[in-house]
Amino acid sequence: MGHPHKALHTTAIGVVSATLIAGTTLGLAPAAQASTTAGVRFVDIAGDGGTILKANVITPAGAAGTRGFPLIVLPTSWGLPQVEYLTQAQKLANSGYVVVSYNVRGFWQSGGEIEVAGPPDVADASKVIDWALANTPADAQKVGMAGMSYGAGISLLAAAHDKRIKAVAALSGWADLIDSIYSGRTQHAQAAALLDGAGTLTGRPSAELQQVFKDFFSSNLSKEPDLIAWGKKRSPQTYVDQINANGAAIMLANGWGDTIFPPNQYVKFYEELTGPKRLEYRPGDHATAEVTGLFGLPNDVWTDTGRWFDHYLRGEDNGIDREQPVQLKSRSTGGYEGYPDWKSVAATRKKIALAGSTTIRANVDSGANGGVIFLSSILDQIAQLPPMASIPLLPRRWAAVWQSEKYASAQQVRGTAKLHTTVTATKESGTLVAYLYDVGPLGLGKLVSNAPYTFHGQTPGKPFGVDLELFSTAYDVPAGHRLALVVDTVDPLYIEHNPSGAQLTFSSPEHDPSYVSVPLRKQ
């Protein structure tokens, strides 16, 4: 594990500060304003071990003295206060739900320390359900949980441990924490720094969490097994059999450009779910597809969340169970596409041969990169402006480049592109980053997808195979354009592990040719 990036902590704190200030300005933060809303109560709930959790409760109008309302519990996102969901909670209450939103332990005014969805957080969710059933007109047979980001992960974990939970909507969450911030055995530096900075500003990180971040950023390989074990304990993927046994209806939603929890890790989890399930992907970065709904604006994600609960908690025949369960919105077009399952997303695959032998030098950013956390994917979401690079001008000393032929018709990329190649390194450790670009007639490349890959313990001068899944996406390549695969060794999004003077050679042996396999929608 290569070089620490301490400067990222300062950058992350600045970004988080700006985000929190913006949230306050727009009305997310001041609880005093919310207290005038009809039906809202601010309460203290005793969580696991007696830790006080600050919460708000909204009940349907006229609910006094009656029982039997479905219950929805909303744990807050990482770093956001308990009024985060107040607008959506009010909408749900107006539709006939009892809604309890609580600030997770370790943040803001709640007690305890940040456990990162550890066992105390999972136990807290059950304690909140206990409290709601004892103190509100909620129906114990109709319990749901939902949340964005941190709240999504906690909701999924709770569904594995509490059989009372019948439905979950996990928005911009994670299924595999390690595959999120350590995919390809590479630290996602900007993502982790943002989480670290937000936790420091708005909460009280536990000693364990502080050590985890220290080991993560210091690239301490001896701590890698401990880091993986820590992450697996906090990953819903680990408990998928328990979630299936408990039978909750699971809705998952994420953004194609999520730089905190990339889309791939939700796919595997979704495929292993055996109960009622739904998977939605849209353009955007982490939680950006859902955020407008927090301010009461029309929002597809929250609309579908309400429909999900209406069917699986209230028994409403609204048709959501009869729709295609996989719903995608392309980054290039405005409409939704429905599929019966994930494997149907890509009807065919087209390989681009990575012929010849190419050697690049490490430790220099070639100009191809995945952009900046949040900013780049938001630009793509709003203006269809992903990170760009001039492919002809990329220095071949530091970047390996292969291109397809010009396509006579539009190519609708859907799903997960896969790289297979043979690498020979001059050092035992190293990092490479693969990028797939849509290249126009003038050579300007728009980023379609990317992913990092790190290796350790390889014998210098001895070839070894590399198989890498790029981050899943939905992108339309116009007719007359090409696809290009670019590989270099440095990207600001990731911590690289290339020793000084290292070189990487990419080859395509006759018995094992190199290629990138591009998933395409049926034309």
Side-chain angles (χ1 to χ4, degrees):
M1 297 165 73
H3 313 294
H5 285 218
K6 294 182 180 178
L8 288 169
H9 293 268
T10 303
T11 303
I13 289 174
V15 171
V16 173
S17 298
T19 302
L20 293 175
I21 290 170
T24 302
T25 303
L26 290 167
L28 266 180
Q33 295 178 9
S35 63
T36 61
T37 305
V40 180
R41 289 188 292 142
F42 289 88
V43 300
D44 290 350
I45 297 176
D48 185 52
T51 297
I52 296 301
L53 306 173
K54 296 293 182 176
N56 58 71
V57 184
I58 306 182
T59 54
T66 59
R67 304 286 302 177
F69 293 95
L71 167 68
I72 296 178
V73 174
L74 303 170
T76 52
S77 302
W78 185 275
L80 289 183
Q82 60 156 310
V83 293
E84 173 188 6
Y85 302 115
L86 207 52
T87 297
Q88 287 299 325
Q90 187 71 63
K91 286 185 175 182
L92 288 166
N94 291 342
S95 297
Y97 294 92
V98 172
V99 186
V100 180
S101 177
Y102 70 97
N103 230 116
V104 292
R105 65 169 55 224
F107 284 102
W108 294 86
Q109 295 172 310
S110 285
E113 296 179 326
I114 302 172
E115 301 286 347
V116 194
D121 290 300
V122 177
D124 284 345
S126 291
K127 292 289 187 181
V128 171
I129 293 172
D130 291 343
W131 183 93
L133 295 178
N135 294 277
T136 74
D139 185 341
Q141 303 303 313
K142 300 177 181 179
V143 177
M145 287 191 69
M148 290 166 47
S149 186
Y150 196 38
I154 290 175
S155 295
L156 289 172
L157 289 163
H161 293 84
D162 194 323
K163 294 181 179 180
R164 296 174 296 181
I165 299 170
K166 305 302 182 185
V168 171
L171 317 180
S172 289
W174 76 92
D176 188 327
L177 191 57
I178 293 300
D179 199 35
S180 296
I181 62 173
Y182 194 52
S183 73
R185 211 177 174 186
T186 309
Q187 298 106 310
H188 293 214
Q190 289 186 15
L194 186 67
L195 294 173
D196 189 12
T200 300
L201 274 175
T202 63
R204 298 168 298 283
S206 65
E208 180 186 37
L209 177 57
Q210 293 177 53
Q211 187 62 49
V212 164
F213 276 125
K214 181 179 178 181
D215 293 338
F216 184 90
F217 287 111
S218 67
S219 302
N220 187 344
L221 257 187
S222 68
K223 296 293 184 179
E224 185 181 48
D226 294 338
L227 174 68
I228 291 173
W230 177 86
K232 292 300 182 186
K233 182 186 293 186
R234 292 160 169 80
S235 296
Q237 181 73 56
T238 303
Y239 310 100
V240 67
D241 289 343
Q242 292 172 232
I243 293 174
N244 288 334
N246 289 347
I250 306 294
M251 172 180 154
L252 307 170
N254 201 4
W256 292 121
D258 195 322
T259 43
I260 307 290
F261 304 128
N264 299 44
Q265 42 91 38
Y266 254 3
V267 170
K268 180 182 177 183
F269 179 67
Y270 173 82
E271 289 182 314
E272 293 184 12
L273 291 172
T274 58
K277 58 184 179 179
R278 184 178 177 92
L279 178 65
E280 301 184 354
Y281 282 120
R282 297 173 176 84
D285 205 308
H286 184 63
T288 61
E290 301 95 329
V291 71
T292 56
L294 298 182
F295 307 120
L297 300 174
N299 185 275
D300 291 351
V301 190
W302 283 105
T303 296
D304 285 350
T305 295
R307 295 174 63 225
W308 191 251
F309 287 134
D310 285 347
H311 180 75
Y312 287 104
L313 293 185
R314 296 174 60 190
E316 183 176 308
D317 185 14
N318 56 17
I320 196 167
D321 58 317
R322 296 187 296 275
E323 295 173 1
Q324 300 277 37
V326 176
Q327 294 285 323
L328 310 183
K329 192 172 187 179
S330 169
R331 293 161 52 199
S332 308
T333 59
Y336 284 93
E337 302 165 4
Y339 300 89
D341 47 43
W342 179 256
K343 67 177 181 290
S344 300
V345 170
T348 61
R349 283 190 169 269
K350 186 174 291 187
K351 288 184 178 180
I352 301 172
L354 310 180
S357 179
T358 303
T359 299
I360 61 173
R361 292 163 175 79
N363 304 114
V364 174
D365 189 342
S366 70
N369 63 65
V372 178
I373 189 171
F374 283 120
L375 176 62
S376 298
S377 292
I378 291 174
L379 283 173
D380 186 38
Q381 176 184 358
I382 295 173
Q384 294 184 6
L385 290 174
M388 300 182 189
S390 174
I391 304 305
L393 297 181
L394 289 175
R396 271 37 176 191
R397 180 184 181 91
W398 297 301
V401 180
W402 299 267
Q403 296 193 71
S404 72
E405 75 284 357
K406 285 185 180 180
Y407 295 115
S409 60
Q411 305 293 298
Q412 295 181 307
V413 179
R414 298 290 186 274
T416 309
K418 299 178 181 180
L419 168 65
H420 173 75
T421 189
T422 296
V423 176
T424 304
T426 58
K427 306 290 184 179
E428 68 172 15
S429 294
T431 295
L432 60 92
V433 186
Y435 310 90
L436 189 65
Y437 283 99
D438 160 24
V439 185
L442 299 179
L444 182 64
K446 294 183 177 181
L447 188 65
V448 177
S449 186
N450 79 100
Y453 180 91
T454 293
F455 59 88
H456 297 289
Q458 294 294 336
T459 302
K462 182 178 180 181
F464 60 95
V466 169
D467 287 287
L468 175 63
E469 289 190 348
L470 277 62
F471 299 137
S472 303
T473 194
Y475 181 98
D476 295 352
V477 179
H481 286 213
R482 308 173 186 266
L483 282 171
L485 182 80
V486 177
V487 180
D488 71 1
T489 63
V490 176
D491 190 305
L493 288 174
Y494 313 113
I495 292 180
E496 50 95 1
H497 301 258
N498 298 294
S500 179
Q503 297 182 24
L504 301 179
T505 297
F506 301 91
S507 59
S508 183
E510 185 175 347
H511 67 280
D512 186 19
S514 296
Y515 60 85
V516 59
S517 174
V518 180
L520 299 175
R521 185 187 183 196
K522 185 177 182 180
Q523 298 296 311

